[in-house]
Amino acid sequence: MRDEELTNPAVRAVITAMRDCNREAFFAAFAPSAELTDDGHLQPLKEWADREIFQAHGHLDVEREDSNGLELVGLFHSDQWDMKTMWRFRVIDGRIHRLDVAAL
């Protein structure tokens, strides 16, 4: 699935920012108090994103979206990982307030 086909604008902005390695655009999609979990464990969003995405050249090849565009399934590739993952977003007023990432 192409990034441009993702139906939720905030989710699309995150996936596009990952693809373009655009840290500023990535974080702009999130509310200041946004939470992130990785396999059920609460993580600091900025530290996690820097480590798992920006320093490791991470990106998500989306296979499908569900839940009105708020849940993505796809292959996450980085210098460290190649795995199938699920990304679930909670979006309020156009900003991401929670992201849950899990290996499948």
Side-chain angles (χ1 to χ4, degrees):
M1 176 172 222
R2 293 187 342 227
D3 298 351
E4 297 78 21
E5 296 174 313
L6 298 173
T7 57
N8 185 284
V11 171
R12 184 173 55 245
V14 166
I15 300 306
T16 301
M18 287 173 52
R19 178 195 67 204
D20 296 343
C21 200
N22 186 335
R23 187 177 184 275
E24 185 176 321
F26 180 89
F27 289 117
F30 288 86
S33 61
E35 295 182 331
L36 172 115
T37 65
D38 185 347
D39 287 328
H41 302 281
L42 194 59
Q43 300 287 324
L45 174 63
K46 288 192 178 187
E47 288 88 349
W48 182 91
D50 281 336
R51 181 182 66 248
E52 300 292 338
I53 298 170
F54 298 107
Q55 294 169 1
H57 308 103
H59 65 278
L60 181 65
D61 293 330
V62 178
E63 294 176 357
R64 73 174 193 273
E65 66 174 14
D66 296 311
S67 301
N68 296 316
L70 296 176
E71 186 173 302
L72 306 179
V73 173
L75 298 174
F76 181 76
H77 303 282
S78 73
D79 294 344
Q80 183 177 5
W81 306 106
D82 281 307
M83 70 177 109
K84 191 165 193 168
T85 59
M86 181 277 306
W87 295 50
R88 182 176 298 131
F89 297 82
R90 183 180 312 145
V91 177
I92 301 171
D93 295 329
R95 305 275 309 269
I96 298 165
H97 284 255
R98 184 175 177 100
L99 170 57
D100 300 299
V101 177
L104 296 178

